[in-house]
Amino acid sequence: MQGLPLLLAALLAATLPGAGFDVLDERADLDVRLAEKRIAGEVEIDLASRSPALREVDLEAQDLEIAGVWSGDPGDPGEHPLPFRTADGRLLVTLDPPARQGETRTLRVRYAGSPKTGMRFGAEQVFTAFNTSAWLPSKSDPGDKATLTLRLTLPAGYEVAASGRPISRETLADGRVRHVWREERPHSAYLFGFAAAHFQEASATEGPVALRFLAAGLTPAQLATIFGKTGEMLRFFELRSGVPFPSGRYTQALLPDGPAQEMAEMSLMDEDYGRAVLEDPREDSLIAHELSHQWWGNLLTCTDWSDFWLNEGTATFMAAAWKEHAWGTDEYQRSMLISRRRYAQAVADGKDRLLVFTGWQKADDMGGAVTYSKGALVLHLLRRELGDAAFWAGLRLYTQTAAAAAASDRSVRTRDLQKGMETASGRDLGWFFDQWAYGIQPALTARHRLENGAVVIDLEQKGAQGAKPWRIGMRIAVETDRERVSRRVELTQAKETFRFPVTGALLSVRLDDGAWLPLPVEHERPWAMLLHQLRHEPDAAGRADALLALVKLCGSSPKPGGCTGFQDVLRECAAEDPARIIRQLAELSLQDWEVAKTNTPPR
C-alpha cells in the first residue's frame, strides 16, 4: 500500500504538462530579421527527467514554426531526429528511448516565426515582452529555473541589453553582428529577454554593482537624472530584504511603447514614463517596482502561478515602501490609495477572487488588480497587524531563508511568507493568512448615531452565505469640537456595536482610521461631516476618502445644498492641501465637473 501513492504520483508527474522534467540550461541562436519582423532560431535544451520513464517532453512554443527536433548535441554520433507534434502553442516531443528518473537529455530544436506576442518590432528597435515561448521554446512554469546562453544576430549599429552579462560581439561576413550573452544564475524562463536599439547610454556604480541606463530618445544626462536614485533604491531593498543585490550588474532601458517588465538583471520601461520622472521625480514607483523584482520575483519566485501575488503584490508594496522612505508618508499613502481604488474597482466589476488562486488556466489569468493591488494591501494590513519591527524582520527572514536555498530551488509559496512572519513576531498568523490570502473579504457597513452622551457605531460584515465572520481589527476615530479619540476595535461577530463617550459637538466619525483595510467601510456621513474630514483629517487617506465621498454625493440626485459651493472647496484643496494625492484628486474632480457642466443640455 505504501507504494501505491508513489506510483500514482509518478503517473501524475508523467502526464501533467511540463511536470515530468526540469529544464537545466538553454543555448539559443536567434537571427532577428527586423525588416521582415521575423526570427529564425535554434536552441539546445538540457533537461532532467523527474519521471521513472519520461516518454514525452512538453514545451511551450507559441506561434513558432518547428522545423525539426533532434536528440543530443550537433555532430554527436548518437544524435537522431525525434518525433514531435505541435498543438495549442505547445511542442510535444517523443523521447526515444524514454528518460529514466534523474537522467539528463539534450534536445535541439530548429524553428522560425513571426511572433504575434512576446516580441515587439518598431522603428529601429526590437524587444521581448513577457511571453518568452513566442521566441524561444521553453517551459513557463515559474518554479522551474534554468541558465541561458543567447547568441543574438542583428544588423550592425544596434546596442543590446539582455539577460545576464555580455560575453562577446562578432561582426559576421555579411556585416551583421552576433551578440553573445550568458545568464549563469538560474531564472524562470519568463524572465529571459533582450532589447536592441540605437541606444544612448549612461552608467553608474553602487558598491560592486554596475548600473547601465539606456534609451534611444533621451540623452545620457537625462538618463542619469531619471535613474539617479537607482543606487539608493538598491541599498534600501538590500536593507529590507537582508540580501545583497543578487548580481554584479543591472540594466534599465526605456523604449518607445516599451512594456513595464522585469527581466533577469534588467528591466524595460516606456520612454514617456521616463519623461514623466524628469518632470516629477516622485513618479518613480515603476522604477522601484521593477528593481524590487530582482529580489521578490527573480531571486525568490512563486512556485507556480497560484502564488503570483508573492511576486507582484510584494513588488507593488515595496515600491510604496521606497516612496515612504524617499518622499514621506503622504507618498506611501498615495500608493496605497491607488491600490485601494484599483482593487475596489475590480470588486465592483465582479472580478474579486482569492489572492492565492488555484483556478488559473494560463499564466495570463494571474494578472490584474487582485494580484498587484490586493496583494500590496494585504502586506500593508499585515504591517499594521504586527508593527514595523516584527513585519520588517519577518520579511527579511522570509527573503533570506529562500535566498539561501540552492540556486535552482528558490521558489516560494504563501505559507513560506507566513512562516517567516510567525517566526519573527512569535505569533500564530494562520487566521490572518487563511482570511486574507485564502478568502474573500466580507463587505463592511457601518452606521453611527448619538445616544446618551455617546457615539454609537453599529458595524456589520457580510460575507458569502454560510461563511463564518472574520476577525478584523481596525481603528475608529471620533472627533468633537473638544477632542479626537482613536481606538482600536476587533470585529469577531457578524454584527457588533461600539460606544464612544463624547463631550462637545460631534464633528467626525472615521471608520478604519489610517486606512489599513484593503476595502473601505461603507459608512454614510452627512455633508458637513465629510467637509470637516476633507479639511481636517490628519492623514491623506482620510482626506481623500472624504473628497471622493463628496464628489459622489454631488453626482447624485438630488444634490446636497453644499454642492453649489463645492467647486471653491475643490480649488482650495487643489492649491493648498499638503498631500500630492489630494491636490491631484481635486484637480481631476474640477476637470470632470467642467466636462459635466459643458455636456449638460439646456432646459
Side-chain angles (χ1 to χ4, degrees), residues 158-363:
Y158 283 81
E159 290 297 321
V160 172
S163 301
R165 62 186 180 88
I167 301 297
S168 64
R169 179 185 302 199
E170 175 190 4
T171 301
L172 305 180
D174 61 5
R176 294 180 303 159
V177 178
R178 179 180 292 135
H179 307 257
V180 182
W181 288 67
R182 175 66 181 170
E183 178 51 77
E184 292 284 4
R185 186 160 55 89
H187 281 80
S188 309
Y190 79 91
L191 296 169
F192 295 151
F194 67 88
H198 300 296
F199 285 128
Q200 296 285 315
E201 181 170 347
S203 62
T205 58
E206 184 57 43
V209 183
L211 303 174
R212 187 185 188 203
F213 317 132
L214 303 173
L218 296 163
T219 67
Q222 288 173 318
L223 285 167
T225 299
I226 292 166
F227 295 115
K229 284 188 174 290
T230 296
E232 186 182 345
M233 286 181 188
L234 189 150
R235 292 195 304 274
F236 175 75
F237 293 136
E238 286 185 330
L239 173 69
R240 290 308 191 197
S241 68
V243 177
F245 186 76
S247 174
R249 59 187 297 115
Y250 181 61
T251 299
Q252 294 161 298
L254 298 169
L255 295 145
D257 301 318
Q261 183 184 358
E262 77 281 9
M263 294 178 181
E265 300 174 41
M266 64 181 292
S267 61
L268 305 184
M269 288 162 273
D270 185 77
E271 264 191 17
D272 286 343
Y273 166 73
R275 294 185 179 94
V277 177
L278 278 176
E279 293 178 8
D280 189 338
R282 291 169 299 180
E283 294 290 349
D284 58 0
S285 285
L286 185 57
I287 295 173
H289 181 109
E290 304 304 348
L291 175 58
S292 76
H293 270 311
Q294 300 300 316
W295 288 267
W296 300 283
N298 295 17
L299 182 64
L300 277 64
T301 312
C302 55
T303 302
D304 61 42
W305 300 116
S306 303
D307 282 296
F308 192 45
W309 83 275
L310 291 173
N311 294 19
E312 296 299 348
T314 304
T316 303
F317 173 80
M318 290 307 300
W322 155 258
K323 291 177 75 65
E324 180 182 39
H325 167 80
W327 306 109
T329 301
D330 281 350
E331 286 298 308
Y332 174 79
Q333 290 182 344
R334 178 180 182 271
S335 297
M336 289 299 104
L337 178 62
I338 291 170
S339 287
R340 283 182 106 199
R341 285 175 62 78
R342 287 174 176 166
Y343 176 45
Q345 187 60 55
V347 173
D349 293 341
K351 296 180 180 178
D352 199 9
R353 56 166 172 75
L354 306 181
L355 196 55
V356 180
F357 180 60
T358 58
W360 56 275
Q361 298 297 316
K362 55 185 184 300

Side-chain angles (χ1 to χ4, degrees), residues 528-551:
M529 181 177 289
L530 288 168
L531 194 59
H532 176 85
Q533 291 176 337
L534 172 59
R535 286 171 166 157
H536 299 290
E537 276 298 317
D539 62 304
R543 299 196 300 278
D545 172 68
L547 188 152
L548 294 170
L550 288 166
V551 168

Side-chain angles (χ1 to χ4, degrees), residues 311-527:
N311 294 19
E312 296 299 348
T314 304
T316 303
F317 173 80
M318 290 307 300
W322 155 258
K323 291 177 75 65
E324 180 182 39
H325 167 80
W327 306 109
T329 301
D330 281 350
E331 286 298 308
Y332 174 79
Q333 290 182 344
R334 178 180 182 271
S335 297
M336 289 299 104
L337 178 62
I338 291 170
S339 287
R340 283 182 106 199
R341 285 175 62 78
R342 287 174 176 166
Y343 176 45
Q345 187 60 55
V347 173
D349 293 341
K351 296 180 180 178
D352 199 9
R353 56 166 172 75
L354 306 181
L355 196 55
V356 180
F357 180 60
T358 58
W360 56 275
Q361 298 297 316
K362 55 185 184 300
D364 290 350
D365 296 342
M366 291 309 298
V370 172
T371 297
Y372 288 73
S373 299
K374 180 182 177 182
L377 292 165
V378 167
L379 290 173
H380 171 68
L381 177 60
L382 184 60
R383 180 184 182 184
R384 190 288 305 266
E385 186 67 36
L386 299 182
D388 270 13
F391 174 82
W392 290 116
L395 186 72
R396 282 193 298 275
L397 182 59
Y398 157 71
T399 308
Q400 290 171 329
T401 300
S408 60
D409 194 34
R410 290 170 179 152
S411 59
V412 288
R413 292 195 179 277
T414 296
R415 294 301 185 191
D416 296 317
L417 174 63
Q418 177 184 333
K419 183 179 179 181
M421 292 294 177
E422 287 179 333
T423 302
S425 66
R427 293 173 55 181
D428 178 3
L429 295 172
W431 67 272
F432 181 93
F433 283 88
D434 286 348
Q435 287 182 175
W436 297 103
Y438 299 94
I440 299 292
Q441 178 183 333
L444 297 175
T445 58
R447 294 184 180 278
H448 74 270
R449 61 186 186 278
L450 283 170
E451 185 179 278
N452 299 326
V455 175
V456 179
I457 300 166
D458 298 313
L459 269 161
E460 181 176 4
Q461 51 174 301
K462 298 178 181 178
Q465 188 173 4
K468 293 181 180 180
W470 278 24
R471 173 181 167 184
I472 301 175
M474 73 170 75
R475 298 196 72 84
I476 298 176
V478 174
E479 184 179 354
T480 70
D481 58 358
R482 298 185 182 182
E483 61 182 345
R484 187 181 194 271
V485 177
S486 181
R487 188 174 90 203
R488 178 180 164 86
V489 303
E490 189 165 278
L491 310 181
T492 57
Q493 305 297 320
K495 294 182 180 181
E496 298 190 61
T497 298
F498 302 93
R499 295 178 62 87
F500 285 71
V502 295
T503 57
L506 180 65
L507 298 176
S508 170
V509 177
R510 169 99 180 270
L511 277 297
D512 188 23
D513 187 24
W516 290 96
L517 295 176
L519 289 174
V521 181
E522 184 181 331
H523 176 212
E524 186 175 336
R525 290 154 287 173
W527 179 272

